[in-house]
Amino acid sequence: MAIVLELLSRKNIPLKHFKFEQDYVCVGRDFNNDLRLDDPYVCPSHMLVAIDPESGQLVVNDCQSTNGIKVNNKYVKQANLTSNDIIKIGRTRLRIIDTKIPLPVAMPLSELEENLNWLNRAFLTVFLTFVCLSYMLIAKFINSIEEFNLISVLTSQLSQLAIICIWPLCFAALAKISKKESHLVNQVNLTLITSLLVYVLSLLEKVVIFNIQPGAWFNWLELGVFSIIVVSFIWLSLFIAFHQPDNRRNIITAALSCMVIIPIFAMGYLKDDDFNSRPNYDPTLLAPSYNLTGTISSVEFVDSSERLFDRVDKLRND
């Protein structure tokens, strides 16, 4: 039976492992030890990790060290060890690895993961940031009914862009906490691409509303497209940040998506039709830039209105 010790960082991130094909391992600062640690708080001969010949169990013994031994944050002079126990001597952390425990089956490598490698490019982040900021400024200019002040608008749009980037920063932090790569550039690029997609769909929505005045079906279509975008974005964020089974990722995606979509659905589509003495009005004015069907003159509008009233009178007489 081999003795395997894994050197850990202060945050218990694996740094290096040591495998010894013998029944005992002397650990300390002295060069004669089986495992030498360059730690001033470790004694020349600090501890002995050995296999008990009777029980076959791994045992740690303190060799009268100055600072003692901690096993799972408890001081011990002698203790039996099991797999994944963490030993702390001085400022060094070592984890016990049981080589007899079978490892889980390797996760299948998804082709999607290979296809998403193009997101890991810093120049793409710069380009997408420039495109998003340009679109936000142009949209602000088109919809502005007051004097357009570039400096003040640029400040507000940069703040909005910074708020958008909170999402990828959170996922990168969670990945670091779980001892995985942060993939920060991938997360930022995914967020910026999704934001651009939402901006483009918002522009199309305004064009459609301005030109054809769709009915209630358009609201449901809008909610469906928005739901697809939200679910896809959250699923890809989880896919990039963590290596996890598909079932777990799907469950987390569904939960997070419901937290986003259900409140929007409740506020926008489950409205009460009862009379309200203080109704809410939407004062939004769409800019003429969204009009694709052309305009008519005032004279034509008056004539069409008169013809409409004539039709109403005719229908009433009939």
Side-chain angles (χ1 to χ4, degrees):
M1 174 182 173
I3 299 176
V4 180
L5 301 176
E6 193 172 47
L7 181 64
L8 304 176
S9 69
R10 292 184 181 181
K11 296 182 179 180
N12 293 336
I13 298 176
L15 300 177
K16 190 176 181 181
H17 77 276
F18 305 91
K19 184 177 180 180
F20 302 93
E21 297 290 348
Q22 56 195 53
D23 293 339
Y24 63 89
V25 176
C26 298
V27 182
R29 195 158 36 88
D30 193 280
F31 285 94
N32 294 320
N33 288 287
D34 299 306
L35 176 57
R36 179 184 179 274
L37 300 176
D38 188 12
D39 184 341
Y41 300 97
V42 172
C43 292
S45 295
H46 198 107
M47 72 174 182
L48 176 69
V49 179
I51 300 174
D52 189 326
E54 296 181 0
S55 63
Q57 194 167 9
L58 210 58
V59 180
V60 61
N61 291 279
D62 187 356
C63 299
Q64 299 180 350
S65 62
T66 302
N67 295 311
I69 299 174
K70 278 186 176 181
V71 176
N72 298 328
N73 289 325
K74 293 182 179 180
Y75 280 106
V76 297
K77 289 293 184 181
Q78 183 181 32
N80 294 329
L81 299 175
T82 58
S83 180
N84 292 324
D85 281 348
I86 295 179
I87 304 172
K88 183 180 179 183
I89 56 175
R91 289 189 173 179
T92 303
R93 294 173 179 269
L94 297 169
R95 178 158 51 200
I96 301 298
I97 303 297
D98 189 350
T99 55
K100 295 184 296 183
I101 297 179
L103 296 176
V105 179
M107 295 176 59
L109 182 62
S110 172
E111 291 186 7
L112 178 61
E113 186 170 1
E114 299 294 327
N115 295 332
L116 288 176
N117 285 335
W118 61 273
L119 285 173
N120 190 24
R121 289 177 171 82
F123 78 89
L124 181 62
T125 306
V126 176
F127 173 75
L128 290 174
T129 302
F130 175 77
V131 173
C132 282
L133 187 59
S134 299
Y135 175 87
M136 293 163 69
L137 291 174
I138 293 173
K140 196 72 174 179
F141 174 76
I142 292 176
N143 295 320
S144 177
I145 58 176
E146 300 177 351
E147 183 181 0
F148 185 77
N149 189 330
L150 179 60
I151 301 301
S152 61
V153 173
L154 181 62
T155 303
S156 64
Q157 298 308 308
L158 284 173
S159 301
Q160 183 177 341
L161 203 58
I163 293 173
I164 291 174
C165 290
I166 292 177
W167 176 274
L169 289 174
C170 290
F171 268 85
L174 289 174
K176 274 294 185 183
I177 292 173
S178 60
K179 306 172 186 177
K180 306 295 182 183
E181 286 187 70
S182 63
H183 296 292
L184 180 59
V185 175
N186 303 55
Q187 293 285 0
V188 171
N189 286 336
L190 176 64
T191 304
L192 292 175
I193 291 173
T194 305
S195 300
L196 275 176
L197 180 61
V198 172
Y199 291 151
V200 171
L201 292 177
S202 176
L203 175 61
L204 292 176
E205 175 197 10
K206 292 177 180 178
V207 172
V208 170
I209 292 175
F210 198 109
N211 292 275
I212 66 174
Q213 294 84 41
W217 61 269
F218 186 76
N219 294 332
W220 291 102
L221 177 63
E222 183 182 6
L223 178 64
V225 173
F226 177 76
S227 301
I228 293 173
I229 293 175
V230 169
V231 172
S232 302
F233 173 62
I234 294 176
W235 192 92
L236 286 173
S237 297
L238 292 169
F239 181 82
I240 293 173
F242 309 106
H243 298 291
Q244 55 188 180
D246 291 337
N247 290 337
R248 182 185 302 175
R249 186 185 303 114
N250 294 337
I251 292 173
I252 297 175
T253 300
L256 292 176
S257 300
C258 288
M259 292 173 61
V260 175
I261 297 171
I262 290 178
I264 295 176
F265 174 79
M267 291 186 294
Y269 298 94
L270 298 181
K271 295 181 179 179
D272 191 359
D273 292 332
D274 292 343
F275 174 77
N276 188 353
S277 60
R278 295 183 178 179
N280 294 323
Y281 296 97
D282 184 3
T284 304
L285 296 176
L286 294 179
S289 306
Y290 299 120
N291 184 17
L292 300 179
T293 57
T295 58
I296 61 174
S297 65
S298 301
V299 176
E300 292 175 332
F301 176 76
V302 172
D303 291 341
S304 63
S305 299
E306 290 179 351
R307 288 194 298 270
L308 180 61
F309 282 114
D310 292 340
R311 289 179 60 190
V312 172
D313 291 336
K314 183 178 178 181
L315 292 172
R316 184 177 61 184
N317 293 332
D318 292 343

